[in-house]
């Protein structure tokens, strides 16, 4: 499944992204790994900020990285690539 990165948030361990798949679902992305599938971008942002997604395979605790749950704090993904 192809996921297009839309938004990103910088952390001290690298950027976290929100992408959208061809079926319209939104995916929190950490190091090219989808951490869940959401109906809307706000739900994806809130869950990744709170660390309430699937655990990344590298064991990173996303809830400890200071990711903002405010969509206005996120930037276009291209700015972080």
């Amino acid at each position: 499944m192809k996921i297009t990165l839309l938004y990103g948030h910088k952390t001290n361990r690298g950027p976290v992204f929100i992408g959208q798949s061809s079926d319209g679902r939104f995916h929190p992305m950490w190091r090219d790994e989808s951490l869940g599938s959401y109906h809307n971008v706000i739900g994806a942002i809130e869950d990744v900020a709170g660390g309430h997604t699937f655990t990344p395979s590298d064991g990173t605790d996303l809830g400890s990285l200071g990711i903002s749950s405010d969509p206005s704090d996120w930037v276009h993904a291209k700015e972080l690539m």
Side-chain angles (χ1 to χ4, degrees):
M1 165 178 29
K2 180 175 174 17
I3 296 177
T4 302
L5 300 180
L6 302 175
Y7 306 104
H9 193 282
K10 186 177 178 180
T11 76
N12 62 357
R13 301 233 3 235
V16 62
F17 294 101
I18 301 295
Q20 188 174 31
S21 55
S22 57
D23 63 0
R25 306 243 341 151
F26 296 92
H27 300 260
M29 302 291 296
W30 178 252
R31 299 186 176 159
D32 297 323
E33 180 180 2
S34 173
L35 303 178
S37 177
Y38 294 79
H39 290 287
N40 62 63
V41 70
I42 301 300
I45 287 173
E46 288 176 348
D47 274 9
V48 77
H52 307 297
T53 63
F54 292 118
T55 302
S57 59
D58 68 1
T60 300
D61 176 6
L62 296 177
S64 70
L65 297 181
I67 300 167
S68 176
S69 62
D70 182 347
S72 68
D73 290 335
W74 289 64
V75 299
H76 289 282
K78 291 179 183 180
E79 293 180 35
L80 298 177
M81 292 195 257

